[in-house]
Amino acid sequence: MSDVILEMKKITKEFSGVKALADVQLSVKRGEIHALCGENGAGKSTLMNVLSGVYPYGTYTGDIIYNNEVCQFHNIKESEAKGIVIIHQELALSPCLSIAENVFLGNEQTSVKGVINWTKTKSKAKEMLAKVGLEDENVNLPVNLLGVGKQQLIEIAKALAKKVELLILDEPTAALNDEESKKLLELMLELKKQGITCIIISHKLNEISYVADSITIIRDGKTIETIEKEKEDFTEDRIIKGMVGRELTNRYPKREDVKIGKTIFEVKDWNVFHPEEAERQMIKNVSFHVREGEVVGFAGLMGAGRTELAMSIFGKTYGQKIQGSIKMHGKEVRIKNVKDAIQHKLAYVSEDRKNYGLVLIEDIKRNMTMAALKKFFSKNGVVNKNEEILAANKFMKKINIKANSIDQKVVSLSGGNQQKVVLAKWMLTQPDVLILDEPTRGIDVGAKYEIYCVINELAKAGKAIIIISSEMPEIIGTCDRVYVINEGEIAGELNEYEVSQEKIMQCVMAHNRKGE
Amino acid sequence: MREKKVKNLDMKQYGMVVALIAVFLIFSFLTKGANMTPMNMNNLIMQNGYVVILAVGMLLCVLTGNIDLGVGSMVALSGAVIGILLVDYKVNIWIAILAAILVGLLSGVFVGFFVSKLGIPPFIVTLATMLMGRGLTYTVLQAQTKGPFPNEFTYIGAGFLPTIKVNLGGRPIDVISVGVAIIISVLILLAEFKDIKTKEKYGFATNPLWQIAIKEIVILAIVWFIFSKLATCNGIPFVLVIMAVLAGFYHYITTKTVAGRQIYALGGNAKAAKLSGINTEKVFFWVYTNMGIMCAIAGIVLSARNGSSTPKAGDGFEMDAIASCYIGGAATAGGVGTVIGAVVGAFIMGILNNGMSLYGWSTDIQKIVKGAVLLGAVTVDLVTKRKKG
């Protein structure tokens, strides 16, 4: 019996000229758990967004055949009406509303049109909760009193309330601890028994091999292969091979004439707790160092704690109860806020340029000088606009920002050029140590190359550079040394010669097993 | 030889000035020139002094993406302090002024503390100070009006700079006003000249000469129009001096200093500003503290002009100040707006008020028109921006 519930044929999706998906094929059998694997940025979430109508019909090419019917979804409502429900990584719950209200969010139980029938809402909510193993919860409580794990289950209850046939889970366990993850996976198996088909996106290969019936591997926006459990064993090595097996051409410019000098940045026994949940330790006893002219990578999966580590170091912009020591040029320094960090020649380029890197409504020039204004472009608190313009023009040329002029608002720039503006902003503070968090996220290949060139230039100038990246080839292609980070700890350190995607994944897996 | 770069003037920032002139001309047509008389020009300036002062302070709050609702009450409270000190205690006017500014400062610190240290939304904090300030004013004044004030004090709000009248064609003309106008004109031209020179020195793009010429002619025409009217009336009102100094000072702060830049950055994206080393709490604190001081200055000017302090003083001023900022092109989300814009916005409101009174419309109708103008100005601003994408 190979009853196919969903078939996606030749799906192609472009973002401003960059192909995120190219002729992707996906075929899902009724009643199975189908896993989508691939590196970050491979196009898994994009594919699911195409399926659920987040990217409406017409913005992509290709066919979606669902229940033997060609579908053209224009929004999420249309796909949900057919029984396709997607649960995104960021939960779509309204935190202050009750559990019952959230279960029927957008699907309210009404008696007369527009008037909520509370009795029905609550009794039905209880029913749905029982299906996901939360029968003991009080449906009147606001959801934000529940932990992330239970909130995830509420999301599933919400999907069940919509009479889901095909449930899509995007990294459902990324924010969960082991016990919660286990519970969720058991629930998936239970739903399978009830005949619900599931697509799961996950980086946790052990989980996938536990629940999935078949795996489709996507790499660089293309379908690589589909492995079926009946035919082949799901060993982690087998999956990794499929995910990784790419040839590395020279997507990464060579670094020449760079002398790695003495250690200039050293962090010892760094401990950080979650900003809201004081008991939850996010970073545990992390120690690392970076040398002059060295490019060091922080590899790991999403949610491993790399950004949290970087931001807690950069002026305590993340977390609480931060402990540990930082040494710059061998001298211990205390960095209480961002100003101190800049003063000590530390720079951090955020992974989220739109929210944390740029003032979108301002022009290129003002964004570039934002962090360095006080130190380098002003005297007695008065801005030297002429020097500012000169510097902005110089950097625009130097790192090849494509814009009409430095007076152009950054909101109108492409992702790659925006990223360059953020880079320029921090280069202008004349740092010794730069932490680049996902420096090439969401930008095209050409701009990536240019950013790698800038990184090389910086290394050549004797800066110490830390690159946080979820794209393993990027880490391997650009770094001299790699720390593998997993669950807030350093899971391993690999030098230039031993680093490979397999090795990184092995470090993560070994560390995961140790935790279990 | 370096290639000479030329770029067009950004007309957007002058749109408000054009609107100001248009509104003025419409009313001079409707009132058959009644709003152009020297006496009325004089009144326009003296009546709107406090709005301009408040609008300038309010602009900083608006730049952070917030507003201050407590402004009217704070104006009344600082006025009440002056009334009590001058009338009941007969203190020296300087002490009264200092006390009023101190009260403004403290109220600003109060708001600043709640907003920056405790993270309470400014809307709530200033709604509270609006109620508390009004109540406090009624309490200290025991719901009575204090007055009259000594002449040295009322000079601030109702006085004029010394004049030297010369007869010119049968009409007395104030030479001081003419002199000030000449000095201002020279300074404006010198600033423009210096600007062009530095642009050339650094090899930056300059604006086409004819555009600069038109801009300067319009600016100088406005200056000379106002001063010629003032010269044939009572000379330069002292309020104009206060207004000009404050507007100039804050224009300088917002356009030329690091502190100003930090306010814009905070309003544009607070998270990014924070991660760029800007102490956003500190910026918030000073913006609201500053607003308190500006309220005190406006309170001084208002009570001096009225010659008395009343518990009802300043009622609704916060709305005038906020409206001035938005009419002047500031964005509700923060990060966009200029001091000049706020001043122009305040005068557009003032000219509207004044013109409608002369035309004989009641204050009820005036409110409808003012509301419509505010809505219209912001709608046009936003819709055109959206079209540009």
Side-chain angles (χ1 to χ4, degrees):
Chain A
M1 65 145 241
S2 69
D3 175 14
V4 174
I5 185 170
L6 171 75
E7 201 145 22
M8 298 180 82
K9 280 184 180 164
K10 291 197 159 235
I11 303 290
T12 299
K13 165 87 188 155
E14 287 186 7
F15 290 106
S16 50
V18 183
K19 269 192 185 161
L21 296 174
D23 288 341
V24 171
Q25 308 278 352
L26 178 69
S27 161
V28 181
K29 287 181 205 152
R30 190 177 304 280
E32 72 166 350
I33 296 180
H34 194 110
L36 274 183
C37 284
E39 294 170 330
N40 298 328
K44 300 166 305 216
S45 298
T46 312
L47 185 65
M48 290 303 102
N49 285 337
V50 165
L51 173 58
S52 61
V54 172
Y55 301 133
Y57 175 74
T59 62
Y60 61 88
T61 58
D63 290 323
I64 300 173
I65 299 158
Y66 178 70
N67 276 336
N68 299 321
E69 192 185 330
V70 178
C71 294
Q72 303 176 346
F73 300 126
H74 294 90
N75 53 45
I76 302 179
K77 269 241 145 30
E78 290 180 18
S79 64
E80 282 184 351
K82 299 266 185 195
I84 302 175
V85 179
I86 183 165
I87 298 177
H88 291 278
Q89 219 172 329
E90 303 86 25
L91 299 181
L93 298 174
S94 185
C96 296
L97 292 186
S98 72
I99 293 176
E101 283 168 297
N102 269 295
V103 169
F104 293 103
L105 199 64
N107 179 27
E108 284 76 8
Q109 298 299 301
T110 54
S111 37
V112 190
K113 196 173 162 54
V115 180
I116 292 178
N117 182 336
W118 286 108
T119 328
K120 201 165 142 198
T121 301
K122 282 174 193 170
S123 66
K124 274 200 148 182
K126 264 202 155 40
E127 228 173 86
M128 295 303 155
L129 288 184
K131 284 189 188 172
V132 297
L134 289 176
E135 53 274 4
D136 299 331
E137 293 299 330
N138 179 355
V139 295
N140 298 315
L141 291 182
V143 282
N144 58 6
L145 294 183
L146 302 177
V148 197
K150 284 186 176 171
Q151 289 192 17
Q152 187 74 258
L153 294 177
I154 301 279
E155 276 278 11
I156 295 176
K158 189 171 143 192
L160 294 177
K162 287 172 185 161
K163 302 211 168 38
V164 61
E165 264 186 69
L166 175 62
L167 181 65
I168 304 162
L169 297 158
D170 191 351
E171 302 257 12
T173 60
L176 307 188
N177 63 29
D178 292 338
E179 201 185 324
E180 290 167 330
S181 303
K182 183 97 177 112
K183 213 170 158 187
L184 186 94
L185 297 176
E186 294 301 333
L187 176 64
M188 284 180 67
L189 293 172
E190 178 61 36
L191 294 176
K192 183 178 142 188
K193 274 187 207 152
Q194 296 170 16
I196 294 174
T197 315
C198 228
I199 297 177
I200 177 173
I201 298 177
S202 177
H203 286 289
K204 298 188 181 167
L205 300 184
N206 50 346
E207 294 178 355
I208 286 181
S209 42
Y210 178 61
V211 294
D213 297 304
S214 44
I215 301 173
T216 293
I217 293 171
I218 295 181
R219 191 202 307 153
D220 294 340
K222 296 189 189 92
T223 312
I224 300 303
E225 57 181 337
T226 298
I227 324 173
E228 287 178 40
K229 203 169 205 167
E230 295 162 1
K231 294 177 191 154
E232 216 176 330
D233 250 4
F234 289 169
T235 60
E236 281 171 17
D237 284 345
R238 173 72 187 83
I239 305 172
I240 292 172
K241 197 182 127 208
M243 279 168 65
V244 166
R246 114 176 59 200
E247 29 187 338
L248 280 180
T249 48
N250 63 342
R251 284 177 37 207
Y252 305 97
K254 262 223 174 93
R255 208 155 39 243
E256 281 158 353
D257 311 326
V258 175
K259 263 183 61 190
I260 294 180
K262 52 186 189 308
T263 299
I264 56 175
F265 186 62
E266 201 173 358
V267 172
K268 266 224 168 88
D269 301 322
W270 200 253
N271 284 290
V272 180
F273 286 83
H274 192 275
E276 275 118 40
E277 299 162 44
E279 294 311 306
R280 197 161 144 208
Q281 188 162 5
M282 300 305 288
I283 304 295
K284 293 166 212 143
N285 287 320
V286 167
S287 300
F288 66 90
H289 67 275
V290 194
R291 288 170 291 186
E292 230 171 44
E294 190 181 31
V295 181
V296 166
F298 281 2
L301 303 174
M302 273 190 194
R306 294 165 301 167
T307 296
E308 289 79 0
L309 172 63
M311 287 183 74
S312 62
I313 292 168
F314 186 68
K316 302 194 173 175
T317 44
Y318 172 88
Q320 58 172 330
K321 295 196 284 185
I322 298 169
Q323 281 169 359
S325 72
I326 303 173
K327 276 187 188 169
M328 295 287 276
H329 300 285
K331 251 194 260 160
E332 182 152 349
V333 294
R334 293 194 57 194
I335 299 178
K336 294 193 297 288
N337 51 43
V338 179
K339 214 169 125 193
D340 291 351
I342 295 173
Q343 204 62 39
H344 286 112
K345 294 179 165 288
L346 183 61
Y348 169 71
V349 177
S350 166
E351 59 175 338
D352 184 350
R353 57 178 167 267
K354 287 207 165 99
N355 284 317
Y356 289 94
L358 297 166
V359 179
L360 290 172
I361 55 171
E362 296 264 32
D363 57 28
I364 294 175
K365 163 186 74 198
R366 286 183 166 212
N367 270 289
M368 274 192 186
T369 57
M370 199 154 88
L373 197 63
K374 206 163 187 174
K375 212 167 155 189
F376 296 112
F377 298 102
S378 68
K379 208 173 155 188
N380 304 325
V382 180
V383 178
N384 186 337
K385 283 195 178 175
N386 299 324
E387 291 302 327
E388 185 185 17
I389 294 170
L390 280 185
N393 273 326
K394 188 177 127 202
F395 267 80
M396 186 156 130
K397 210 173 269 168
K398 188 171 168 185
I399 61 176
N400 193 20
I401 295 171
K402 291 178 198 78
N404 299 331
S405 80
I406 53 168
D407 298 323
Q408 193 175 338
K409 304 251 183 290
V410 291
V411 70
S412 61
L413 298 180
S414 71
N417 285 313
Q418 285 183 347
Q419 188 67 24
K420 287 183 198 162
V421 173
V422 185
L423 263 178
K425 170 171 113 177
W426 288 107
M427 284 161 78
L428 278 166
T429 64
Q430 304 182 7
D432 286 343
V433 180
L434 283 107
I435 307 175
L436 311 177
D437 197 347
E438 303 283 358
T440 65
R441 172 179 285 175
I443 67 180
D444 63 82
V445 184
K448 275 186 185 182
Y449 189 88
E450 288 177 343
I451 284 181
Y452 300 138
C453 290
V454 173
I455 292 172
N456 287 352
E457 283 295 313
L458 289 168
K460 209 168 162 182
K463 315 281 185 200
I465 295 159
I466 298 170
I467 295 179
I468 299 175
S469 176
S470 298
E471 287 182 40
M472 281 187 259
E474 177 170 288
I475 292 263
I476 294 162
T478 54
C479 296
D480 298 315
R481 196 154 53 87
V482 175
Y483 289 99
V484 180
I485 296 182
N486 193 47
E487 292 181 358
E489 290 179 276
I490 296 215
E493 185 183 339
L494 302 165
N495 68 32
E496 193 180 356
Y497 305 103
E498 57 189 0
V499 66
S500 67
Q501 305 202 22
E502 286 86 352
K503 270 267 163 56
I504 293 174
M505 287 309 279
Q506 277 166 11
C507 275
V508 171
M509 296 305 158
H511 186 263
N512 274 347
R513 274 194 287 277
K514 213 167 69 189
E516 271 164 18
Chain B
M1 188 64 206
R2 211 185 275 136
E3 190 193 349
K4 206 162 176 184
K5 282 174 260 173
V6 173
K7 69 173 181 186
N8 285 328
L9 267 182
D10 184 9
M11 274 312 291
K12 219 167 50 198
Q13 50 183 317
Y14 301 106
M16 286 303 145
V17 179
V18 175
L20 177 87
I21 296 170
V23 170
F24 188 78
L25 290 179
I26 289 170
F27 276 103
S28 61
F29 175 75
L30 287 177
T31 60
K32 301 198 177 63
N35 72 341
M36 279 205 195
T37 61
M39 196 58 209
N40 192 56
M41 287 305 293
N42 181 56
N43 287 345
L44 254 177
I45 288 165
M46 298 187 77
Q47 280 165 1
N48 290 299
Y50 65 86
V51 186
V52 171
I53 294 166
L54 292 176
V56 167
M58 186 65 79
L59 180 82
L60 303 190
C61 302
V62 169
L63 282 180
T64 68
N66 296 287
I67 50 174
D68 188 333
L69 290 171
V71 160
S73 299
M74 289 310 148
V75 167
L77 186 62
S78 47
V81 168
I82 286 179
I84 291 166
L85 289 179
L86 285 182
V87 175
D88 296 351
Y89 294 91
K90 310 249 184 286
V91 300
N92 179 291
I93 63 158
W94 291 107
I95 293 173
I97 288 170
L98 227 63
I101 289 179
L102 192 69
V103 167
L105 176 77
L106 287 177
S107 72
V109 167
F110 181 82
V111 175
F113 171 77
F114 277 93
V115 170
S116 69
K117 295 283 170 227
L118 301 180
I120 314 293
F123 190 90
I124 304 296
V125 179
T126 59
L127 186 60
T129 55
M130 172 177 163
L131 294 167
M132 288 154 72
R134 186 61 64 187
L136 215 56
T137 309
Y138 270 91
T139 311
V140 294
L141 284 178
Q142 292 162 331
Q144 287 179 356
T145 300
K146 297 274 177 196
F149 296 152
N151 285 341
E152 309 97 82
F153 183 73
T154 54
Y155 174 79
I156 296 170
F160 296 87
L161 291 189
T163 54
I164 304 167
K165 299 268 182 175
V166 175
N167 242 330
L168 205 78
R171 282 162 69 195
I173 298 275
D174 172 31
V175 182
I176 302 274
S177 301
V178 177
V180 170
I182 291 171
I183 293 169
I184 291 174
S185 310
V186 170
L187 287 178
I188 288 173
L189 289 176
L190 273 180
E192 183 64 50
F193 190 66
K194 201 183 142 213
D195 186 49
I196 295 172
K197 274 275 164 255
T198 32
K199 273 181 181 162
E200 277 176 356
K201 188 179 129 204
Y202 280 86
F204 299 155
T206 49
N207 306 121
L209 210 57
W210 65 270
Q211 289 182 356
I212 296 174
I214 290 178
K215 183 183 96 180
E216 294 305 326
I217 287 169
V218 171
I219 293 174
L220 291 181
I222 294 175
V223 168
W224 279 95
F225 178 75
I226 294 170
F227 277 90
S228 66
K229 297 289 176 183
L230 294 177
T232 52
C233 192
N234 297 326
I236 299 169
F238 188 66
V239 177
L240 182 61
V241 178
I242 299 178
M243 256 162 47
V245 168
L246 287 175
F249 176 71
Y250 284 94
H251 174 68
Y252 183 77
I253 293 283
T254 50
T255 55
K256 302 258 180 327
T257 66
V258 176
R261 207 55 93 65
Q262 291 185 340
I263 300 174
Y264 281 96
L266 164 68
N269 183 349
K271 285 184 271 184
K274 206 167 184 170
L275 268 186
S276 300
I278 294 170
N279 188 340
T280 48
E281 286 177 14
K282 206 166 118 189
V283 174
F284 262 128
F285 181 81
W286 283 112
V287 163
Y288 277 93
T289 301
N290 175 69
M291 187 73 241
I293 297 170
M294 297 296 268
C295 289
I297 297 173
I300 293 165
V301 169
L302 183 73
S303 55
R305 179 171 155 77
N306 292 342
S308 64
S309 309
T310 71
K312 262 199 191 144
D315 193 25
F317 281 13
E318 59 276 352
M319 294 307 161
D320 285 341
I322 294 166
S324 302
C325 293
Y326 292 148
I327 290 176
T332 47
V336 178
T338 59
V339 167
I340 303 291
V343 172
V344 171
F347 273 112
I348 289 181
M349 299 268 287
I351 290 169
L352 273 171
N353 274 337
N354 174 271
M356 288 188 289
S357 300
L358 291 175
Y359 194 59
W361 281 350
S362 70
T363 46
D364 310 338
I365 304 285
Q366 289 180 24
K367 278 189 182 149
I368 298 173
V369 175
K370 266 158 64 183
V373 166
L374 171 65
L375 186 63
V378 176
T379 306
V380 167
D381 188 35
L382 286 182
V383 170
T384 49
K385 255 186 220 154
R386 219 172 293 152
K387 268 194 189 140
K388 270 189 200 158

